[in-house]
Amino acid sequence: MDNTVVQRALQALDLVYNADTAAEQRRQAEEFCQQLRNDSKASSYGLHLAAPGSGYASTTRHFGLQLLEHAISRNQENIAALREPLWTLLWQGMQEPLYIREKLVTLLVKLVIRLWPSAEWTDLSQQLQHMYQASEAHRETVLRIWQTLGEEMFVYDRDAMATVRKHELTNGIVGALLPRMVVEQL
């Protein structure tokens, strides 16, 4: 990862969020942020900027999550490699501001839509059960994940991949949420 790119991103975000920034400077800063979203290393930059221990402002960390979202949506790089880092961010994110936690849920759901249930991600149900038992905040997050996944599949038409994989995802949800005895009777 190029540290000069990270420094330029931090400077650009400062310009974007500073109310005193001139319009032309803000436009150039926003243009740089957009170029970074399309960069082949966007997910690496995103993980760096989103890291809880980085000391970056919440707005900067949120931008890092936006980079990750863009990489997942565009299937940049190997998105399966983002599974563990995102899972770690989610576990560590219980004390984060709500908008960070919501973005983490959104990212995980986008990843679930693309990777689960398949050989690339067979233990999602167990991971969510483990998280559910950790604390009240974790329970709320797990319920939000299932809710968002259901909404993406059955209510909204925002993610074309959810439509393409709807049958497979529906089977996965049924298997994960219904008791085994009920599934066997189906």
Side-chain angles (χ1 to χ4, degrees):
M1 180 176 47
D2 188 352
N3 285 331
T4 57
V5 173
V6 171
Q7 290 306 313
R8 284 191 63 203
L10 295 172
Q11 292 168 351
L13 291 169
D14 284 342
L15 291 171
V16 167
Y17 290 120
N18 185 341
D20 297 328
T21 301
E24 181 59 25
Q25 280 184 307
R26 179 172 281 113
R27 187 195 61 72
Q28 289 174 353
E30 288 172 347
E31 189 175 290
F32 176 78
C33 290
Q34 186 58 42
Q35 288 172 355
L36 195 54
R37 282 184 184 95
N38 295 322
D39 191 295
S40 64
K41 296 179 185 169
S43 61
S44 297
Y45 294 126
L47 286 170
H48 177 78
L49 293 172
S54 64
Y56 296 134
S58 294
T59 51
T60 299
R61 295 188 43 241
H62 190 267
F63 177 72
L65 295 174
Q66 289 176 345
L67 291 176
L68 290 170
E69 182 177 27
H70 197 71
I72 292 168
S73 295
R74 293 186 41 164
N75 290 320
Q76 286 183 340
E77 303 176 25
N78 178 10
I79 62 169
L82 294 176
R83 188 181 107 190
E84 289 306 318
L86 272 179
W87 193 251
T88 301
L89 286 174
L90 192 66
W91 266 95
Q92 296 172 348
M94 294 303 114
Q95 304 303 318
E96 298 289 342
L98 182 61
Y99 68 99
I100 297 280
R101 290 191 319 248
E102 286 293 322
K103 183 57 88 173
L104 286 167
V105 166
T106 300
L107 288 173
L108 189 71
V109 167
K110 284 186 174 294
L111 212 54
V112 165
I113 287 170
R114 285 156 178 76
L115 301 177
W116 179 81
S118 71
E120 293 182 78
W121 199 346
T122 59
D123 60 346
L124 175 68
S125 181
Q126 293 87 356
Q127 288 177 308
L128 291 174
Q129 286 174 0
H130 179 70
M131 179 179 271
Y132 185 86
Q133 296 168 355
S135 73
E136 184 66 32
H138 287 91
R139 265 190 289 288
E140 183 181 314
T141 300
V142 168
L143 294 173
R144 187 74 179 114
I145 289 167
W146 286 121
Q147 176 187 6
T148 304
L149 180 59
E151 287 173 348
E152 285 297 327
M153 290 175 49
F154 302 114
V155 178
Y156 305 118
D157 253 349
R158 296 183 289 214
D159 194 335
M161 188 63 78
T163 304
V164 170
R165 299 195 66 233
K166 190 172 190 169
H167 180 72
E168 187 176 2
L169 290 165
T170 302
N171 288 341
I173 289 174
V174 168
L177 297 179
L178 288 178
R180 181 175 288 290
M181 183 178 71
V182 173
V183 173
E184 287 172 358
Q185 291 175 357
L186 294 177

